[in-house]
Structures are given as C-alpha cells and as structure tokens.
Amino acid sequence: MPTLVVTFAESALADLEAILAWYAEQDVPEIGRRLVGEIIDHVQALRNHPDMGRVVPEFDRPFLRELIHPPFRIVYRREPKCIRVVRVWRSERVLRLPADEPDQS
C-alpha cells in the first residue's frame, strides 16, 4: 500500500490554533505547543496506517474515524488516496461535522 497524503481541514487547523491560544491564556504556552506537536506526530502515523483509528461511535460510518490523544479526539475522514483531519476536540465534547464536510452516506 502506498503512503497516503494527510491534510487538515480549516476546522481542524482552527482547533489546533484554539488549543495553542487556550494554553497561552493559562500561561503555559509550552504545554500547548507540546500537545499540538504530539497531535501532528500522531496524525502522521496515519500515512502508513490509515485504519488505525476507530470508527467514530456517534456516526458509525467506516470512512469517519478517530484517534484518541488524551484529552483530545482527532477526527479524520479515511478516503481512498488521502486522510483529511476534520476536527481536534477535547474528548468530552459531542462531535458534529463542520458545515463544509458533507456526509458521504
């Protein structure tokens, strides 16, 4: 299997920026930078192991999967030739798809 391309939706990039901002507001920006770096490293593993995340239980769609990187859920779309990260949320939040990500039933 060839290595897949990993991309981030605008919604996921905004989530990462919000993580950095929140930790900076708490006067611990280094923790935010460390967590975002770890999240990006975790996502890069999907290039060679795209199905390592579980199917998102709220949707039960095989193309919508997630990695757990406590305290975050990294939600991604498993497409035939690429991986698209759509959200990076705290794990206790209820998941909703962003408006720009159509449901592929």
Side-chain angles (χ1 to χ4, degrees), residues 39-93:
I39 289 166
I40 291 169
D41 288 346
H42 201 164
V43 165
Q44 292 305 315
L46 293 171
R47 293 173 33 208
N48 294 312
H49 306 286
D51 296 320
M52 68 188 235
R54 70 179 185 173
V55 171
V56 176
E58 292 94 327
F59 295 100
D60 196 29
R61 306 268 191 207
F63 63 88
L64 194 62
R65 306 179 78 82
E66 69 182 353
L67 298 173
I68 304 300
H69 189 87
F72 300 101
R73 296 170 77 181
I74 304 163
V75 180
Y76 66 96
R77 294 179 65 93
R78 167 63 160 97
E79 298 176 5
K81 296 184 180 180
C82 70
I83 300 295
R84 184 150 177 86
V85 178
V86 293
R87 297 307 318 222
V88 181
W89 274 358
R90 291 201 49 101
S91 58
E92 66 271 7
R93 288 184 68 179

Side-chain angles (χ1 to χ4, degrees), residues 4-59:
L4 300 178
V5 174
V6 175
T7 62
F8 286 79
E10 287 185 33
S11 53
L13 293 173
D15 292 337
L16 294 174
E17 289 175 10
I19 291 167
L20 291 172
W22 190 86
Y23 282 97
E25 289 170 10
Q26 304 306 309
D27 291 325
V28 286
E30 65 280 356
I31 293 175
R33 288 190 299 269
R34 179 180 54 82
L35 283 169
V36 168
E38 289 173 357
I39 289 166
I40 291 169
D41 288 346
H42 201 164
V43 165
Q44 292 305 315
L46 293 171
R47 293 173 33 208
N48 294 312
H49 306 286
D51 296 320
M52 68 188 235
R54 70 179 185 173
V55 171
V56 176
E58 292 94 327
F59 295 100

